[in-house]
Amino acid sequence: MSTQTANYGGFERWLPKLVLAPAFALTLVFVYGFIIWNGYLSFTPSRILPNYEWAGLIQYERLFDNERWWVAVKNLGIFGGLFMGISMALGLFLAILLDQKIRMEGALRTIYLYPMAMSFIVTGTAWKWILNPGLGLEHLMHQWGFEQFTFDWLVNPEMSIYTVVIAGVWQSSGFVMALFLAGLRGIDDSIIKAAQVDGASLPKIYWRIIIPCLRPVFFSTLMILAHLAIKSFDLVMALTNGGPGFASDVPATFMYAMAFTRGQIGMGAASAMMMLATIAALVVPYLYSELRGSKNG
């Protein structure tokens, strides 16, 4: 009896490991294995097909000499900065409004969150119709009699990246609102009541007390939005397809074009490694601060 109990206890200890082992093995091969493979390809002269001959840093030199790559990097800076800044400002503003215990809060929260339920492909396609000068907003205004109204950002090389910002902010600000609202609801009411007793106005309470308390939420939101911005691909492809020309290219679309349509697998792999390095530069300090905080706490 005691032997059976011991065997059963041993099986219970191994059961979670056996259940997780296939997923762990698949992740190891299809995520980290392919990252290593991609990293090696970035040091080879691969073009249409993989070529495993070692070529050193030649693909990185070609990448940094490529004008289209620097357009993509500049666009990522514009898109990332505006996307994160406007989404966080709008999300915080909406969260503060909903935190006033207004009527129909549940319905409004659902409406704000609804865009996040859609994929970036659907969002990009919808905004492509809205911003198309011949079909969308400009056409509608002309029909209403405003013949001088123009809004051609979608086909303007100087402004096309800002249409991606508009669509991205529309999709993500509701999600950011939900994160900030959860943070606001987690703040102890007694702190706010004590400030009100001392005569502090509501805007001053939010500016001096509540918003500083949301620092961890700000940090987590920034990480999520930065991650979304760096790997943006489907939204750009659906909305502008990187155009006009390559005016709204971002690193993800550049990587796709080089690796799968231009027969430049080596350069595509090098650009993918640069994207990975950028994400690592953001995530590693975050993980370090989180692990350090949990260790001290």
Side-chain angles (χ1 to χ4, degrees):
M1 186 67 180
S2 59
T3 305
Q4 286 181 343
T5 305
N7 289 337
Y8 183 72
F11 178 73
E12 271 196 334
R13 281 200 302 276
W14 279 99
L15 183 60
K17 297 174 183 174
L18 290 173
V19 170
L20 291 175
F24 180 76
L26 290 173
T27 304
L28 207 61
V29 172
F30 290 105
V31 177
Y32 297 101
F34 278 108
I35 288 176
I36 294 170
W37 185 51
N38 182 81
Y40 184 80
L41 285 178
S42 71
F43 295 103
T44 67
S46 299
R47 297 180 74 87
I48 296 176
L49 293 174
N51 177 347
Y52 298 104
E53 182 185 347
W54 183 261
L57 297 173
I58 188 170
Q59 298 294 356
Y60 291 92
E61 291 173 2
R62 292 180 60 212
L63 179 69
F64 295 144
D65 287 338
N66 191 303
E67 180 191 354
R68 183 171 175 175
W69 168 251
W70 290 112
V71 170
V73 171
K74 178 187 171 188
N75 284 336
L76 177 61
I78 294 171
F79 171 66
L82 292 175
F83 171 65
M84 290 187 288
I86 298 174
S87 293
M88 291 181 73
L90 192 57
L92 178 61
F93 177 68
L94 293 174
I96 291 174
L97 290 181
L98 286 181
D99 194 42
Q100 308 309 310
K101 311 290 190 300
I102 60 175
R103 282 185 177 182
M104 300 178 64
E105 180 193 325
L108 290 172
R109 195 168 54 221
T110 305
I111 292 170
Y112 291 146
L113 273 174
Y114 182 71
M116 199 62 192
M118 294 191 289
S119 71
F120 277 118
I121 289 287
V122 175
T123 299
T125 304
W127 278 98
K128 187 176 182 178
W129 292 339
I130 294 170
L131 299 175
N132 188 318
L135 298 172
L137 182 62
E138 184 176 314
H139 180 67
L140 178 66
M141 297 302 285
H142 287 179
Q143 285 187 326
W144 284 355
F146 300 96
E147 296 291 339
Q148 302 302 318
F149 180 85
T150 57
F151 195 85
D152 61 348
W153 287 11
L154 192 65
V155 294
N156 184 339
E158 298 294 327
M159 303 301 292
S160 56
I161 188 62
Y162 297 100
T163 62
V164 184
V165 175
I166 292 171
V169 168
W170 180 81
Q171 170 126 3
S172 301
S173 55
F175 172 67
V176 175
M177 178 272 301
L179 294 177
F180 278 122
L181 188 60
L184 288 171
R185 295 288 162 82
I187 295 175
D188 191 352
D189 285 342
S190 62
I191 299 174
I192 301 170
K193 289 176 182 174
Q196 288 174 332
V197 169
D198 288 340
S201 62
L202 193 59
K204 200 169 185 179
I205 292 172
Y206 271 99
W207 183 251
R208 294 290 182 85
I209 299 173
I210 296 178
I211 291 178
C213 290
L214 295 175
R215 182 174 168 271
V217 183
F218 272 100
F219 201 47
S220 299
T221 306
L222 188 67
M223 292 300 304
I224 294 170
L225 293 179
H227 171 258
L228 289 175
I230 292 171
K231 72 182 188 69
S232 288
F233 173 78
D234 39 9
L235 179 63
V236 180
M237 292 299 286
L239 183 57
T240 66
N241 198 21
F246 52 86
S248 60
D249 245 357
V250 291
T253 57
F254 174 89
M255 182 274 294
Y256 173 80
M258 290 298 138
F260 299 108
T261 64
R262 295 296 185 91
Q264 300 286 342
I265 288 179
M267 189 186 293
S271 63
M273 293 310 294
M274 294 307 299
M275 290 171 58
L276 178 66
T278 308
I279 292 176
L282 292 169
V283 172
V284 170
Y286 173 72
L287 290 177
Y288 176 74
S289 66
E290 288 292 310
L291 293 173
R292 190 179 176 188
S294 60
K295 191 176 179 181
N296 294 334

